Amino acid sequence: VSSPIRHNHPSHVTDRKGHDIHRVHPQRKVIDFDIIDQTHTTGGAVIIFAWNSTSKTATIIREYMPGPHRVLGGLAAGIVEEGKHSAVEGVGEPNTLVAARYELEEECHLAGGTWYRLTEDGVSVPMDKYVVTEITPYLVIDPQHVLDPRPLDHEEDIEIVAGISVEEILQMIREGDFNLVGGWGAMLALEKLRELGETT
């Protein structure tokens, strides 16, 4: 959903860490923007990089993406939906992790494993300059195949591709065969895997 907003440029703003940012706009312009948001109330979105520590490969997806109007590689991902992805009482998992587990099962037919959040606790990252949605990326190591996974959303047409090497992922990103958010999530995951000694 695209919704217009009007922004009167301030001469002084503060970022979320409290740093002062001064902007100089001599003409004091008032500018209209089209801002993209989801059609329902959400808690942002999640993206998941699934890694097999035995084969040293990842499981990715390929799916039709209506924006570029073509099939591209990417990672399991989805919107954090209130209600559907509410934190489980007594478990202590945040809604984003609940959503990540759901999306991994739906899109990659995988569950379990060891999970790592790839941003600081409580931090999600704006998807784009003109998009409201903020992303929380995760890495999961050694999830297991699910025989009877949760169903896909009705509009999704996804191919699961297992056994993708680090070199192949990097080549796909360089060649534009990975969507931008998926490439960003993959790069964060590969850095974490290096920290863990999973890759060189």
Side-chain angles (χ1 to χ4, degrees):
V1 175
S2 175
S3 57
I5 66 168
R6 177 159 288 185
H7 177 59
N8 188 354
H9 285 293
S11 59
H12 175 272
V13 295
T14 303
D15 70 11
R16 64 181 176 184
K17 289 189 176 181
H19 300 139
D20 289 335
I21 302 171
H22 295 275
R23 302 183 190 176
V24 178
H25 294 281
Q27 299 176 1
R28 298 290 185 206
K29 295 178 181 177
V30 175
I31 301 173
D32 292 328
F33 295 102
D34 283 327
I35 303 300
I36 308 300
D37 199 359
Q38 308 301 323
T39 56
H40 48 77
T41 303
T42 75
V46 292
I47 190 162
I48 309 99
F49 187 96
W51 179 254
N52 184 309
S53 66
T54 301
S55 64
K56 304 299 183 186
T57 62
T59 296
I60 67 169
I61 62 172
R62 294 191 66 80
E63 66 175 323
Y64 170 72
M65 302 188 183
H69 189 45
R70 58 193 172 113
V71 174
L72 289 173
L75 305 181
I79 297 298
V80 181
E81 300 178 38
E82 292 186 2
K84 177 181 178 182
H85 298 141
S86 295
V88 179
E89 187 174 353
V91 174
E93 290 188 347
N95 289 11
T96 54
L97 182 52
V98 175
R101 292 183 186 278
Y102 272 55
E103 295 300 329
L104 183 70
E105 182 176 332
E106 290 173 13
E107 298 189 0
C108 291
H109 300 177
L110 296 171
T114 302
W115 288 78
Y116 297 89
R117 185 184 181 119
L118 298 175
T119 55
E120 300 295 335
D121 287 345
V123 173
S124 56
V125 179
M127 184 185 293
D128 180 75
K129 181 177 179 179
Y130 298 105
V131 178
V132 172
T133 305
E134 297 195 0
I135 309 293
T136 303
Y138 285 94
L139 162 67
V140 58
I141 297 178
D142 293 334
Q144 301 299 308
H145 181 68
V146 177
L147 294 177
D148 186 22
R150 299 174 186 275
L152 290 169
D153 295 334
H154 73 279
E155 77 278 4
E156 293 176 321
D157 183 11
I158 289 174
E159 175 190 0
I160 301 169
V161 187
I164 304 298
S165 69
V166 171
E167 292 75 17
E168 288 173 313
I169 290 169
L170 294 174
Q171 183 176 358
M172 292 174 71
I173 293 171
R174 288 192 298 266
E175 293 179 348
D177 194 28
F178 231 67
N179 66 52
L180 184 63
V181 175
W184 167 76
M187 297 299 284
L188 285 176
L190 292 176
E191 178 61 28
K192 183 65 175 180
L193 288 167
R194 280 191 290 270
E195 291 178 14
L196 296 170
E198 282 287 327
T199 64
T200 56

